[in-house]
Amino acid sequence: MIRCSVVTADERWNLHMSQQTGTVACVCNNVFSSADAPNMVTGGVSGRATLTNNLFVSRRST
C-alpha cells in the first residue's frame, strides 16, 4: 500500500508499477507532479493494482 505521499520533480516517471502474479497493490491519496516526466505511470502489472483518489499534475503538453 502506498498512501499519503507527494512525489515531485522526477524526470523519468512518477509511479512505476512492477508486480508479480497474484500480488495486490493499493495506491491511494497521493500527489504525483512533474514538469519533465514523459509518463506519469509506467511498468507492467501482473497482479491487481487499484489507484484511488490520486492527483496527477503535469505541465507537459500532450
Side-chain angles (χ1 to χ4, degrees):
M1 174 176 275
I2 301 171
R3 66 178 179 187
C4 302
S5 300
V6 175
V7 179
T8 184
D10 196 302
E11 294 180 5
R12 275 182 83 182
W13 55 66
N14 283 306
L15 176 60
H16 181 76
M17 304 294 290
S18 179
Q19 286 183 278
Q20 295 179 351
T21 301
T23 59
V24 176
C26 177
V27 181
C28 55
N29 304 322
N30 298 285
V31 176
F32 300 93
S33 175
S34 179
D36 300 316
N39 300 300
M40 297 300 277
V41 180
T42 61
V45 177
S46 296
R48 184 180 69 187
T50 304
L51 280 72
T52 308
N53 297 326
N54 295 288
L55 176 62
F56 293 87
V57 181
S58 175
R59 291 184 290 192
R60 289 179 58 104
S61 61
T62 55

